[in-house]
Amino acid sequence: MTTAEPFDAVDVIRAKRDRRELADAQIDWVIDAYTRGAVADEQMSALAMAILLNGMTHRETARWTTAMIASGERLDFSSLRTRSGARVPTADKHSTGGVGDKITLPLAPLVAVFGVAVPQLSGRGLGHTGGTLDKLESIPGWRASLTNEEMMSQLGEVGAVVCAAGAGLAPADKKLYALRDVTGTVEAIPLIASSIMSKKIAEGTGALVLDVKVGSGAFMKDEASARELAQTMVALGQDAGVHTVALLTDMSTPLGLTAGNAIEVEESLEVLAGGGPEDVVELTVRLAEEMLVGAGVHGADPAAALRDGRAMDVWRRMIAAQGGDPDAALPQAKESETVYAPADGVLVGLDALSVGVAAWRLGAGRARKEDAVQAGAGVRLHAKPGATVRAGEPLMTLLTDTPERFERASEALEGAVTIAPEGSRPAHRLILDRIA
């Protein structure tokens, strides 16, 4: 005998369609019923579209997030202890994704230097935005999938872990995320916020710093929508007892000088060795400072830990703990093609989206979740906005194993470069605001 459901999906859809607030019990039920299969994909699609069009109150979004968390397991790091028996604080970072965003790679070991455990659950790239796991998998032997026991062991021994989220963490989100992707409802801020925060809260970290990207290469193209998303996520985290802050950061230009997989690992190693591009170092240090303060560590100097090699030491242990060889040569693309400056002047614009799409078309990214990526593919930049360039000088190098990809990658870069007369200086701030 089938047990009667306490609510009807059509009634829930109509309520949100007609701009009414959903009750807590309705939200709890619809998430649980969708996860169980009692609410059909087409019904959840209709509800997601109603949420996109009519929004949700903070209470509704918070309850939706709680219901997503309740669909699976919650991790608990309270057993992590120092030798003296004190509890080890935890901190994590989440980026909404961009082009050349390799910040997690140097950041996780950097924060761990100061006795804060970093359980970084990361994802793979889709479309023009790169994925942290794809980058790390270019290191020979490194593996992304760990059991909860392996994660806990590595956190205790090394202090940092970057790995794939287990299937048991917010399974409702995994199902709903796939549905939103094919129904034109990805942009709904309550659904974006609850998707990110349900996983981060279920992960069990004590402090969370959100890097919310703004600009052409970001999911949020304008500052107003990015700010709304950041404020929503910060409120959700704080409601759940997680120390949460957000930085709004610019993604109109790629981060650093590389967009790809192995070449971004290479650039991350430069940062860990005390060098690297200024913007990557600036954002890494600033996020580390926020994570450390959120975890209760004050007066730390992350920049010094990059310069003196302490962060590199943790990186090497972190990579080795997951089967990787920190001394192995990174894969290199078999073919390359150079893009040259069309005129003399100052480079004042380098469109992040165009560079990201070019890297994707070269093989660094994927169009579908099941697609493979090329470890060596991507775009290496030779100049960033503010640089003086001369006609015929290399602006960027395209890298791939499959040279037939060059044509479409070059098409993506048409109009991506803006050169102004000498004396021009582009206005650029990497960190736009802090929201707490």
Side-chain angles (χ1 to χ4, degrees):
M1 180 177 172
T2 303
T3 304
E5 298 287 345
F7 295 98
D8 186 287
V10 176
D11 291 337
V12 177
I13 295 164
R14 283 176 177 152
K16 186 46 63 180
R17 180 199 67 187
D18 297 338
R19 296 183 173 85
R20 299 200 303 272
E21 282 193 44
L22 300 181
D24 288 351
Q26 287 178 305
I27 292 171
D28 293 347
W29 172 80
V30 80
I31 294 295
D32 174 64
Y34 180 58
T35 307
R36 289 187 282 113
V39 168
D41 279 347
E42 59 267 27
Q43 292 174 314
M44 186 56 92
S45 299
L47 180 58
M49 185 60 75
I51 291 169
L52 171 71
L53 297 175
N54 297 325
M56 277 182 153
T57 64
H58 174 70
R59 180 199 61 78
E60 286 178 295
T61 306
R63 190 68 180 204
W64 189 277
T65 304
T66 301
M68 301 255 277
I69 294 168
S71 72
E73 64 181 352
R74 292 189 71 153
L75 301 182
D76 181 3
F77 301 117
S78 61
S79 63
L80 290 174
R81 301 283 168 172
T82 65
R83 286 184 181 143
S84 64
R87 184 169 174 175
V88 176
T90 54
D92 191 12
K93 183 270 299 185
H94 177 81
S95 168
T96 55
V99 180
D101 184 5
K102 71 278 296 173
I103 300 297
T104 291
L105 279 64
L107 179 63
L110 175 59
V111 172
V113 165
F114 298 94
V116 175
V118 184
Q120 179 77 55
L121 302 183
S122 296
R124 302 185 187 281
L126 190 63
H128 77 278
T129 58
T132 298
L133 301 182
D134 297 323
K135 304 180 208 299
L136 286 167
E137 283 180 335
S138 66
I139 299 171
W142 188 89
R143 62 188 178 97
S145 296
L146 300 179
T147 65
N148 290 350
E149 291 73 24
E150 287 173 324
M151 182 196 300
M152 288 294 292
S153 175
Q154 184 170 327
L155 281 174
E157 294 173 12
V158 179
V161 61
V162 182
C163 63
L169 212 63
D173 174 66
K174 185 175 182 181
K175 191 173 181 182
L176 182 55
Y177 187 93
L179 186 74
R180 287 165 52 216
D181 198 39
V182 297
T183 57
T185 55
V186 169
E187 294 83 356
I189 284 179
L191 299 182
I192 300 170
S194 60
S195 173
I196 292 169
M197 295 305 293
S198 63
K199 288 177 287 192
K200 288 299 176 183
I201 295 167
E203 177 192 288
T205 188
L208 175 64
V209 180
L210 301 163
D211 181 2
V212 181
K213 303 292 188 190
V214 187
S216 73
F219 186 72
M220 293 298 178
K221 307 298 183 189
D222 63 275
E223 192 170 329
S225 58
R227 186 178 300 277
E228 181 185 352
L229 175 60
Q231 290 169 338
T232 301
M233 292 194 294
V234 167
L236 290 172
Q238 291 174 344
D239 285 351
V242 179
H243 179 97
T244 309
V245 299
L247 298 182
L248 296 187
T249 66
D250 178 71
M251 188 36 72
S252 57
T253 299
L255 261 173
L257 294 169
T258 57
N261 295 310
I263 56 174
E264 289 196 43
V265 174
E266 177 187 304
E267 188 168 271
S268 299
L269 289 168
E270 293 173 8
V271 174
L272 287 163
E278 287 183 11
D279 56 349
V280 178
V281 175
E282 178 187 353
L283 187 52
T284 300
V285 169
R286 179 62 186 276
L287 288 167
E289 291 170 343
E290 292 285 356
M291 289 171 70
L292 290 167
V293 169
V297 177
H298 300 274
D301 187 352
L306 288 176
R307 290 192 300 267
D308 64 22
R310 283 177 289 164
M312 179 69 88
D313 290 343
V314 178
W315 161 269
R316 292 176 61 81
R317 295 200 304 271
M318 183 180 82
I319 295 303
Q322 288 171 249
D325 181 354
D327 295 314
L330 294 167
Q332 294 187 353
K334 298 173 183 174
E335 306 287 342
S336 65
E337 187 171 284
T338 304
V339 176
Y340 298 96
D344 293 351
V346 174
L347 181 63
V348 295
L350 183 60
D351 183 62
L353 177 60
S354 300
V355 173
V357 171
W360 170 29
R361 291 180 176 178
L362 289 165
R366 54 174 64 80
R368 300 172 302 168
K369 288 189 174 77
E370 59 269 22
D371 291 348
V373 297
Q374 292 183 24
V379 178
R380 188 183 298 277
L381 305 176
H382 303 298
K384 291 285 287 285
T388 299
V389 297
R390 294 284 175 258
E393 285 183 350
L395 274 186
M396 59 188 90
T397 300
L398 312 185
L399 302 165
T400 186
D401 291 337
T402 43
E404 61 270 20
R405 293 175 178 264
F406 283 133
E407 183 177 358
R408 290 199 69 234
S410 297
E411 289 171 0
L413 294 167
E414 291 176 6
V417 173
T418 305
I419 295 176
E422 290 191 42
S424 304
R425 284 293 175 265
H428 178 256
R429 286 183 303 139
L430 177 59
I431 300 171
L432 307 175
D433 201 1
R434 178 183 187 271
I435 295 168

